[in-house]
């Protein structure tokens, strides 16, 4: 199901539930029911419940957004390090240069074509990706520079291999959900309580109150959807997660 459809259905469902319950409650209310008799303490509690839940929502959104940005940085750093290896190895003899570039392309192609699907479906990187990166490392470290010019490029190449390895490890650690299950329980329960307090204020069936109640519940549904969408950045939170690889290795698109 497309993400936009999930969002629309969630917001429509939240509005519909609030409106239906309000209409049913109004029809079943007793003749002497007076909405103006709502105790002040309920209004005070409702206000603070909304404030506390707003803080929790803000912290949750900030957390998943930070994780999303960090995930993008890991991918960019890994792709950039691999690109630097391909470019810096040009000072090596043609046979060595071509072997290193071929192994880098094989690793990048595996990440884009195979490993990303494994990450999104199973929440882990592949052993084949580990093997291909080790082969790139072996290509670089096992070569003995034959001149001072090649020796000057040797250490920077090792640094880029290390950077790619570190970025891969960070990417592997970021494949799972950002929010623990207990946090989701608190967010959903808080949403139910916050929207439920609308009925504690004895909302009436006027058009203005129904519209405000519907918009309020739709806003909460939207914010929860935003957290859910960013919760697993490599699976949902990025429009083009493999973009850095495809930008630096355009031949992988074919």
């Amino acid at each position: 199901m497309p993400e936009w459809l999930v969002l629309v259905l969630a917001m429509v469902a939240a509005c519909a539930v609030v409106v239906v319950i309000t209409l049913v409650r109004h029809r079943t209310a007793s003749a002497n029911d007076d909405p103006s008799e709502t105790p002040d303490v309920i209004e005070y509690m409702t206000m603070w419940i909304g404030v506390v839940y707003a803080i929790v929502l803000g912290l949750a959104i900030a957390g998943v957004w930070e994780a999303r940005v960090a995930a993008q940085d890991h991918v960019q750093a890994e792709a950039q390090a691999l690109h630097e290896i391909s470019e810096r190895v040009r000072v090596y003899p043609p046979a060595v240069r071509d072997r290193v570039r071929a192994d880098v392309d094989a690793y990048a192609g595996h990440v884009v074509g195979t490993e990303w699907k494994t990450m999104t479906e199973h929440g882990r990187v592949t052993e084949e990706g580990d093997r291909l990166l080790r082969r790139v490392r072996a290509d670089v470290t096992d070569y003995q520079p034959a001149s001072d010019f090649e020796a000057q490029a040797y250490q920077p190449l090792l640094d880029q291999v290390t950077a790619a390895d570190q970025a891969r490890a960070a990417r592997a650690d970021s494949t799972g959900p950002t929010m623990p299950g207990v946090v989701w329980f608190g967010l959903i329960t808080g949403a139910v309580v916050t929207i439920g307090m609308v009925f504690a204020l004895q909302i009436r069936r006027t058009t203005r109150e129904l519209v405000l109640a519907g918009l309020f519940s739709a806003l909460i549904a939207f914010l929860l959807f935003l957290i859910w969408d960013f919760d697993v950045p490599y699976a949902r939170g990025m429009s083009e997660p493999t973009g850095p690889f495809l930008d630096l290795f355009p031949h992988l698109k074919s």
Side-chain angles (χ1 to χ4, degrees):
M1 183 180 296
E3 294 180 7
W4 65 267
L5 184 58
V6 175
L7 171 60
V8 171
L9 292 177
M11 297 178 69
V12 170
C15 293
V17 168
V18 171
V19 172
V20 169
I21 294 179
T22 302
L23 294 176
V24 172
R25 185 176 179 278
H26 179 78
R27 290 181 177 275
T28 58
S30 59
N32 57 355
D33 186 22
D34 185 5
S36 63
E37 294 180 354
T38 300
D40 293 339
V41 66
I42 295 183
E43 297 181 3
Y44 178 81
M45 291 173 59
T46 302
M47 178 190 70
W48 275 108
I49 288 175
V51 170
V52 172
Y53 188 63
I55 294 174
V56 173
L57 278 177
L59 292 175
I61 293 174
V64 294
W65 178 260
E66 183 179 356
R68 177 182 183 271
V69 173
Q72 289 179 319
D73 292 342
H74 298 330
V75 178
Q76 181 65 46
E78 184 179 4
Q80 186 63 46
L82 293 171
H83 178 70
E84 288 296 323
I85 294 173
S86 293
E87 293 299 320
R88 291 171 184 259
V89 80
R90 63 186 300 175
V91 302
Y92 282 8
V96 179
R97 178 189 62 210
D98 293 343
R99 183 175 69 250
V100 173
R101 287 179 173 176
D103 288 341
V104 169
D105 288 347
Y107 172 75
H110 174 76
V111 170
V112 173
T114 302
E115 187 168 73
W116 215 269
K117 183 177 181 180
T118 302
M119 287 172 54
T120 57
E121 294 181 355
H122 304 288
R124 59 177 177 83
V125 296
T126 63
E127 295 182 359
E128 178 65 12
D130 294 336
R131 186 189 68 81
L132 291 174
L133 186 58
R134 286 196 301 268
R135 191 165 70 182
V136 173
R137 179 186 292 276
D139 291 341
V140 175
T141 58
D142 292 352
Y143 176 72
Q144 184 175 355
S147 65
D148 291 341
F149 186 48
E150 292 180 2
Q152 292 175 1
Y154 181 75
Q155 186 58 49
L157 278 170
L158 289 181
D159 293 341
Q160 294 301 323
V161 172
T162 301
D165 194 12
Q166 291 175 342
R168 174 181 173 80
R171 175 165 61 87
D173 292 338
S174 305
T175 55
T178 303
M179 290 292 164
V182 64
V183 176
W184 273 114
F185 176 79
L187 290 173
I188 295 174
T189 302
V192 173
V193 173
T194 303
I195 296 176
M197 290 302 292
V198 173
F199 305 111
L201 293 176
Q202 301 187 38
I203 183 174
R204 289 170 288 183
R205 200 179 57 171
T206 63
T207 301
R208 180 178 60 182
E209 291 183 351
L210 287 178
V211 170
L212 289 177
L215 291 177
F216 177 69
S217 56
L219 175 62
I220 292 181
F222 170 75
L223 294 177
L224 290 176
F225 171 84
L226 195 66
I227 297 172
W228 172 82
D229 190 44
F230 290 162
D231 189 32
V232 186
Y234 292 127
R236 297 188 296 264
M238 300 182 188
S239 58
E240 186 56 57
T242 59
F245 281 93
L246 297 177
D247 292 340
L248 296 174
F249 299 91
H251 53 277
L252 297 178
K253 298 179 182 178
S254 59

